[in-house]
mmCIF file with all atom_site columns, all heavy atoms in Angstrom:
data_model
loop_
_atom_site.group_PDB
_atom_site.id
_atom_site.type_symbol
_atom_site.label_atom_id
_atom_site.label_alt_id
_atom_site.label_comp_id
_atom_site.label_asym_id
_atom_site.label_entity_id
_atom_site.label_seq_id
_atom_site.pdbx_PDB_ins_code
_atom_site.Cartn_x
_atom_site.Cartn_y
_atom_site.Cartn_z
_atom_site.occupancy
_atom_site.B_iso_or_equiv
_atom_site.pdbx_formal_charge
_atom_site.auth_seq_id
_atom_site.auth_comp_id
_atom_site.auth_asym_id
_atom_site.auth_atom_id
_atom_site.pdbx_PDB_model_num
ATOM 1   N N   . VAL R 1 250 ? 2.191  -4.335 2.850   1.00 0.00 ? 1295 VAL R N   1
ATOM 2   C CA  . VAL R 1 250 ? 3.499  -4.861 2.470   1.00 0.00 ? 1295 VAL R CA  1
ATOM 3   C C   . VAL R 1 250 ? 4.301  -3.701 1.883   1.00 0.00 ? 1295 VAL R C   1
ATOM 4   O O   . VAL R 1 250 ? 3.979  -3.199 0.804   1.00 0.00 ? 1295 VAL R O   1
ATOM 5   C CB  . VAL R 1 250 ? 3.371  -6.001 1.437   1.00 0.00 ? 1295 VAL R CB  1
ATOM 6   C CG1 . VAL R 1 250 ? 4.745  -6.559 1.096   1.00 0.00 ? 1295 VAL R CG1 1
ATOM 7   C CG2 . VAL R 1 250 ? 2.464  -7.110 1.968   1.00 0.00 ? 1295 VAL R CG2 1
ATOM 8   N N   . PRO R 1 251 ? 5.338  -3.221 2.570   1.00 0.00 ? 1296 PRO R N   1
ATOM 9   C CA  . PRO R 1 251 ? 6.075  -2.040 2.098   1.00 0.00 ? 1296 PRO R CA  1
ATOM 10  C C   . PRO R 1 251 ? 6.797  -2.302 0.786   1.00 0.00 ? 1296 PRO R C   1
ATOM 11  O O   . PRO R 1 251 ? 7.267  -3.405 0.519   1.00 0.00 ? 1296 PRO R O   1
ATOM 12  C CB  . PRO R 1 251 ? 7.062  -1.756 3.234   1.00 0.00 ? 1296 PRO R CB  1
ATOM 13  C CG  . PRO R 1 251 ? 7.215  -3.067 3.932   1.00 0.00 ? 1296 PRO R CG  1
ATOM 14  C CD  . PRO R 1 251 ? 5.890  -3.744 3.838   1.00 0.00 ? 1296 PRO R CD  1
ATOM 15  N N   . GLU R 1 252 ? 6.887  -1.264 -0.030  1.00 0.00 ? 1297 GLU R N   1
ATOM 16  C CA  . GLU R 1 252 ? 7.567  -1.321 -1.315  1.00 0.00 ? 1297 GLU R CA  1
ATOM 17  C C   . GLU R 1 252 ? 8.521  -0.143 -1.421  1.00 0.00 ? 1297 GLU R C   1
ATOM 18  O O   . GLU R 1 252 ? 8.292  0.909  -0.823  1.00 0.00 ? 1297 GLU R O   1
ATOM 19  C CB  . GLU R 1 252 ? 6.560  -1.251 -2.470  1.00 0.00 ? 1297 GLU R CB  1
ATOM 20  C CG  . GLU R 1 252 ? 5.527  -2.352 -2.471  1.00 0.00 ? 1297 GLU R CG  1
ATOM 21  C CD  . GLU R 1 252 ? 4.497  -2.167 -3.584  1.00 0.00 ? 1297 GLU R CD  1
ATOM 22  O OE1 . GLU R 1 252 ? 4.408  -1.031 -4.102  1.00 0.00 ? 1297 GLU R OE1 1
ATOM 23  O OE2 . GLU R 1 252 ? 3.818  -3.119 -3.931  1.00 0.00 ? 1297 GLU R OE2 1
ATOM 24  N N   . ALA R 1 253 ? 9.567  -0.311 -2.197  1.00 0.00 ? 1298 ALA R N   1
ATOM 25  C CA  . ALA R 1 253 ? 10.528 0.777  -2.376  1.00 0.00 ? 1298 ALA R CA  1
ATOM 26  C C   . ALA R 1 253 ? 11.192 0.659  -3.739  1.00 0.00 ? 1298 ALA R C   1
ATOM 27  O O   . ALA R 1 253 ? 11.159 -0.393 -4.383  1.00 0.00 ? 1298 ALA R O   1
ATOM 28  C CB  . ALA R 1 253 ? 11.581 0.751  -1.274  1.00 0.00 ? 1298 ALA R CB  1
ATOM 29  N N   . LYS R 1 254 ? 11.795 1.765  -4.180  1.00 0.00 ? 1299 LYS R N   1
ATOM 30  C CA  . LYS R 1 254 ? 12.609 1.798  -5.396  1.00 0.00 ? 1299 LYS R CA  1
ATOM 31  C C   . LYS R 1 254 ? 14.037 2.172  -5.010  1.00 0.00 ? 1299 LYS R C   1
ATOM 32  O O   . LYS R 1 254 ? 14.253 3.118  -4.253  1.00 0.00 ? 1299 LYS R O   1
ATOM 33  C CB  . LYS R 1 254 ? 12.079 2.831  -6.390  1.00 0.00 ? 1299 LYS R CB  1
ATOM 34  C CG  . LYS R 1 254 ? 10.768 2.464  -7.065  1.00 0.00 ? 1299 LYS R CG  1
ATOM 35  C CD  . LYS R 1 254 ? 10.407 3.535  -8.096  1.00 0.00 ? 1299 LYS R CD  1
ATOM 36  C CE  . LYS R 1 254 ? 9.108  3.196  -8.825  1.00 0.00 ? 1299 LYS R CE  1
ATOM 37  N NZ  . LYS R 1 254 ? 8.769  4.213  -9.846  1.00 0.00 ? 1299 LYS R NZ  1
ATOM 38  N N   . VAL R 1 255 ? 14.975 1.426  -5.538  1.00 0.00 ? 1300 VAL R N   1
ATOM 39  C CA  . VAL R 1 255 ? 16.392 1.739  -5.367  1.00 0.00 ? 1300 VAL R CA  1
ATOM 40  C C   . VAL R 1 255 ? 16.923 2.156  -6.736  1.00 0.00 ? 1300 VAL R C   1
ATOM 41  O O   . VAL R 1 255 ? 16.752 1.425  -7.713  1.00 0.00 ? 1300 VAL R O   1
ATOM 42  C CB  . VAL R 1 255 ? 17.167 0.533  -4.819  1.00 0.00 ? 1300 VAL R CB  1
ATOM 43  C CG1 . VAL R 1 255 ? 18.657 0.854  -4.717  1.00 0.00 ? 1300 VAL R CG1 1
ATOM 44  C CG2 . VAL R 1 255 ? 16.617 0.120  -3.457  1.00 0.00 ? 1300 VAL R CG2 1
ATOM 45  N N   . VAL R 1 256 ? 17.543 3.337  -6.808  1.00 0.00 ? 1301 VAL R N   1
ATOM 46  C CA  . VAL R 1 256 ? 17.891 3.930  -8.100  1.00 0.00 ? 1301 VAL R CA  1
ATOM 47  C C   . VAL R 1 256 ? 19.370 4.291  -8.151  1.00 0.00 ? 1301 VAL R C   1
ATOM 48  O O   . VAL R 1 256 ? 19.937 4.813  -7.178  1.00 0.00 ? 1301 VAL R O   1
ATOM 49  C CB  . VAL R 1 256 ? 17.056 5.208  -8.347  1.00 0.00 ? 1301 VAL R CB  1
ATOM 50  C CG1 . VAL R 1 256 ? 17.405 5.828  -9.701  1.00 0.00 ? 1301 VAL R CG1 1
ATOM 51  C CG2 . VAL R 1 256 ? 15.566 4.899  -8.266  1.00 0.00 ? 1301 VAL R CG2 1
ATOM 52  N N   . THR R 1 257 ? 19.999 4.020  -9.302  1.00 0.00 ? 1302 THR R N   1
ATOM 53  C CA  . THR R 1 257 ? 21.352 4.495  -9.570  1.00 0.00 ? 1302 THR R CA  1
ATOM 54  C C   . THR R 1 257 ? 21.453 4.857  -11.047 1.00 0.00 ? 1302 THR R C   1
ATOM 55  O O   . THR R 1 257 ? 20.525 4.593  -11.823 1.00 0.00 ? 1302 THR R O   1
ATOM 56  C CB  . THR R 1 257 ? 22.412 3.439  -9.203  1.00 0.00 ? 1302 THR R CB  1
ATOM 57  O OG1 . THR R 1 257 ? 23.707 4.045  -9.213  1.00 0.00 ? 1302 THR R OG1 1
ATOM 58  C CG2 . THR R 1 257 ? 22.394 2.270  -10.180 1.00 0.00 ? 1302 THR R CG2 1
ATOM 59  N N   . TYR R 1 258 ? 22.567 5.468  -11.433 1.00 0.00 ? 1303 TYR R N   1
ATOM 60  C CA  . TYR R 1 258 ? 22.758 5.912  -12.828 1.00 0.00 ? 1303 TYR R CA  1
ATOM 61  C C   . TYR R 1 258 ? 24.067 5.334  -13.362 1.00 0.00 ? 1303 TYR R C   1
ATOM 62  O O   . TYR R 1 258 ? 25.073 5.234  -12.639 1.00 0.00 ? 1303 TYR R O   1
ATOM 63  C CB  . TYR R 1 258 ? 22.795 7.434  -12.906 1.00 0.00 ? 1303 TYR R CB  1
ATOM 64  C CG  . TYR R 1 258 ? 21.482 8.077  -12.551 1.00 0.00 ? 1303 TYR R CG  1
ATOM 65  C CD1 . TYR R 1 258 ? 21.159 8.332  -11.221 1.00 0.00 ? 1303 TYR R CD1 1
ATOM 66  C CD2 . TYR R 1 258 ? 20.542 8.413  -13.535 1.00 0.00 ? 1303 TYR R CD2 1
ATOM 67  C CE1 . TYR R 1 258 ? 19.951 8.909  -10.879 1.00 0.00 ? 1303 TYR R CE1 1
ATOM 68  C CE2 . TYR R 1 258 ? 19.333 8.992  -13.197 1.00 0.00 ? 1303 TYR R CE2 1
ATOM 69  C CZ  . TYR R 1 258 ? 19.043 9.240  -11.874 1.00 0.00 ? 1303 TYR R CZ  1
ATOM 70  O OH  . TYR R 1 258 ? 17.837 9.800  -11.532 1.00 0.00 ? 1303 TYR R OH  1
ATOM 71  N N   . ASP R 1 259 ? 24.044 4.959  -14.622 1.00 0.00 ? 1304 ASP R N   1
ATOM 72  C CA  . ASP R 1 259 ? 25.240 4.480  -15.302 1.00 0.00 ? 1304 ASP R CA  1
ATOM 73  C C   . ASP R 1 259 ? 25.189 4.949  -16.753 1.00 0.00 ? 1304 ASP R C   1
ATOM 74  O O   . ASP R 1 259 ? 24.235 4.634  -17.474 1.00 0.00 ? 1304 ASP R O   1
ATOM 75  C CB  . ASP R 1 259 ? 25.311 2.945  -15.231 1.00 0.00 ? 1304 ASP R CB  1
ATOM 76  C CG  . ASP R 1 259 ? 26.569 2.391  -15.881 1.00 0.00 ? 1304 ASP R CG  1
ATOM 77  O OD1 . ASP R 1 259 ? 27.638 2.448  -15.249 1.00 0.00 ? 1304 ASP R OD1 1
ATOM 78  O OD2 . ASP R 1 259 ? 26.470 1.917  -17.042 1.00 0.00 ? 1304 ASP R OD2 1
ATOM 79  N N   . LYS R 1 260 ? 26.191 5.718  -17.157 1.00 0.00 ? 1305 LYS R N   1
ATOM 80  C CA  . LYS R 1 260 ? 26.287 6.250  -18.520 1.00 0.00 ? 1305 LYS R CA  1
ATOM 81  C C   . LYS R 1 260 ? 25.017 7.004  -18.922 1.00 0.00 ? 1305 LYS R C   1
ATOM 82  O O   . LYS R 1 260 ? 24.543 6.916  -20.050 1.00 0.00 ? 1305 LYS R O   1
ATOM 83  C CB  . LYS R 1 260 ? 26.565 5.121  -19.515 1.00 0.00 ? 1305 LYS R CB  1
ATOM 84  C CG  . LYS R 1 260 ? 27.884 4.409  -19.277 1.00 0.00 ? 1305 LYS R CG  1
ATOM 85  C CD  . LYS R 1 260 ? 28.110 3.291  -20.287 1.00 0.00 ? 1305 LYS R CD  1
ATOM 86  C CE  . LYS R 1 260 ? 29.432 2.582  -20.027 1.00 0.00 ? 1305 LYS R CE  1
ATOM 87  N NZ  . LYS R 1 260 ? 29.645 1.447  -20.969 1.00 0.00 ? 1305 LYS R NZ  1
ATOM 88  N N   . GLY R 1 261 ? 24.459 7.733  -17.975 1.00 0.00 ? 1306 GLY R N   1
ATOM 89  C CA  . GLY R 1 261 ? 23.262 8.536  -18.235 1.00 0.00 ? 1306 GLY R CA  1
ATOM 90  C C   . GLY R 1 261 ? 21.965 7.765  -18.167 1.00 0.00 ? 1306 GLY R C   1
ATOM 91  O O   . GLY R 1 261 ? 20.881 8.353  -18.274 1.00 0.00 ? 1306 GLY R O   1
ATOM 92  N N   . ASN R 1 262 ? 22.032 6.452  -17.981 1.00 0.00 ? 1307 ASN R N   1
ATOM 93  C CA  . ASN R 1 262 ? 20.831 5.619  -17.902 1.00 0.00 ? 1307 ASN R CA  1
ATOM 94  C C   . ASN R 1 262 ? 20.425 5.409  -16.445 1.00 0.00 ? 1307 ASN R C   1
ATOM 95  O O   . ASN R 1 262 ? 21.286 5.235  -15.573 1.00 0.00 ? 1307 ASN R O   1
ATOM 96  C CB  . ASN R 1 262 ? 21.078 4.262  -18.569 1.00 0.00 ? 1307 ASN R CB  1
ATOM 97  C CG  . ASN R 1 262 ? 21.479 4.403  -20.023 1.00 0.00 ? 1307 ASN R CG  1
ATOM 98  O OD1 . ASN R 1 262 ? 20.847 5.139  -20.778 1.00 0.00 ? 1307 ASN R OD1 1
ATOM 99  N ND2 . ASN R 1 262 ? 22.547 3.725  -20.421 1.00 0.00 ? 1307 ASN R ND2 1
ATOM 100 N N   . ARG R 1 263 ? 19.116 5.437  -16.207 1.00 0.00 ? 1308 ARG R N   1
ATOM 101 C CA  . ARG R 1 263 ? 18.587 5.319  -14.846 1.00 0.00 ? 1308 ARG R CA  1
ATOM 102 C C   . ARG R 1 263 ? 18.201 3.861  -14.583 1.00 0.00 ? 1308 ARG R C   1
ATOM 103 O O   . ARG R 1 263 ? 17.294 3.329  -15.226 1.00 0.00 ? 1308 ARG R O   1
ATOM 104 C CB  . ARG R 1 263 ? 17.371 6.235  -14.685 1.00 0.00 ? 1308 ARG R CB  1
ATOM 105 C CG  . ARG R 1 263 ? 16.842 6.367  -13.267 1.00 0.00 ? 1308 ARG R CG  1
ATOM 106 C CD  . ARG R 1 263 ? 15.800 7.483  -13.218 1.00 0.00 ? 1308 ARG R CD  1
ATOM 107 N NE  . ARG R 1 263 ? 15.401 7.821  -11.875 1.00 0.00 ? 1308 ARG R NE  1
ATOM 108 C CZ  . ARG R 1 263 ? 14.218 7.535  -11.342 1.00 0.00 ? 1308 ARG R CZ  1
ATOM 109 N NH1 . ARG R 1 263 ? 13.309 6.908  -12.077 1.00 0.00 ? 1308 ARG R NH1 1
ATOM 110 N NH2 . ARG R 1 263 ? 13.927 7.892  -10.105 1.00 0.00 ? 1308 ARG R NH2 1
ATOM 111 N N   . TYR R 1 264 ? 18.873 3.231  -13.649 1.00 0.00 ? 1309 TYR R N   1
ATOM 112 C CA  . TYR R 1 264 ? 18.616 1.832  -13.293 1.00 0.00 ? 1309 TYR R CA  1
ATOM 113 C C   . TYR R 1 264 ? 17.771 1.787  -12.017 1.00 0.00 ? 1309 TYR R C   1
ATOM 114 O O   . TYR R 1 264 ? 18.116 2.426  -11.013 1.00 0.00 ? 1309 TYR R O   1
ATOM 115 C CB  . TYR R 1 264 ? 19.921 1.076  -13.068 1.00 0.00 ? 1309 TYR R CB  1
ATOM 116 C CG  . TYR R 1 264 ? 20.670 0.750  -14.347 1.00 0.00 ? 1309 TYR R CG  1
ATOM 117 C CD1 . TYR R 1 264 ? 21.409 1.727  -15.015 1.00 0.00 ? 1309 TYR R CD1 1
ATOM 118 C CD2 . TYR R 1 264 ? 20.633 -0.528 -14.891 1.00 0.00 ? 1309 TYR R CD2 1
ATOM 119 C CE1 . TYR R 1 264 ? 22.092 1.438  -16.190 1.00 0.00 ? 1309 TYR R CE1 1
ATOM 120 C CE2 . TYR R 1 264 ? 21.311 -0.835 -16.068 1.00 0.00 ? 1309 TYR R CE2 1
ATOM 121 C CZ  . TYR R 1 264 ? 22.037 0.153  -16.709 1.00 0.00 ? 1309 TYR R CZ  1
ATOM 122 O OH  . TYR R 1 264 ? 22.705 -0.155 -17.867 1.00 0.00 ? 1309 TYR R OH  1
ATOM 123 N N   . ILE R 1 265 ? 16.672 1.031  -12.072 1.00 0.00 ? 1310 ILE R N   1
ATOM 124 C CA  . ILE R 1 265 ? 15.712 1.009  -10.968 1.00 0.00 ? 1310 ILE R CA  1
ATOM 125 C C   . ILE R 1 265 ? 15.459 -0.432 -10.535 1.00 0.00 ? 1310 ILE R C   1
ATOM 126 O O   . ILE R 1 265 ? 15.148 -1.302 -11.362 1.00 0.00 ? 1310 ILE R O   1
ATOM 127 C CB  . ILE R 1 265 ? 14.376 1.649  -11.381 1.00 0.00 ? 1310 ILE R CB  1
ATOM 128 C CG1 . ILE R 1 265 ? 14.605 3.070  -11.915 1.00 0.00 ? 1310 ILE R CG1 1
ATOM 129 C CG2 . ILE R 1 265 ? 13.393 1.652  -10.209 1.00 0.00 ? 1310 ILE R CG2 1
ATOM 130 C CD1 . ILE R 1 265 ? 13.397 3.656  -12.629 1.00 0.00 ? 1310 ILE R CD1 1
ATOM 131 N N   . VAL R 1 266 ? 15.588 -0.677 -9.231  1.00 0.00 ? 1311 VAL R N   1
ATOM 132 C CA  . VAL R 1 266 ? 15.198 -1.951 -8.631  1.00 0.00 ? 1311 VAL R CA  1
ATOM 133 C C   . VAL R 1 266 ? 13.974 -1.685 -7.761  1.00 0.00 ? 1311 VAL R C   1
ATOM 134 O O   . VAL R 1 266 ? 14.075 -0.979 -6.754  1.00 0.00 ? 1311 VAL R O   1
ATOM 135 C CB  . VAL R 1 266 ? 16.330 -2.561 -7.781  1.00 0.00 ? 1311 VAL R CB  1
ATOM 136 C CG1 . VAL R 1 266 ? 15.849 -3.851 -7.101  1.00 0.00 ? 1311 VAL R CG1 1
ATOM 137 C CG2 . VAL R 1 266 ? 17.554 -2.842 -8.638  1.00 0.00 ? 1311 VAL R CG2 1
#
Side-chain angles (χ1 to χ4, degrees):
V1295 182
E1297 301 176 342
K1299 289 184 179 181
V1300 177
V1301 180
T1302 192
Y1303 294 85
D1304 182 78
K1305 298 180 180 178
N1307 302 312
R1308 188 170 189 252
Y1309 286 77
I1310 305 167
V1311 177

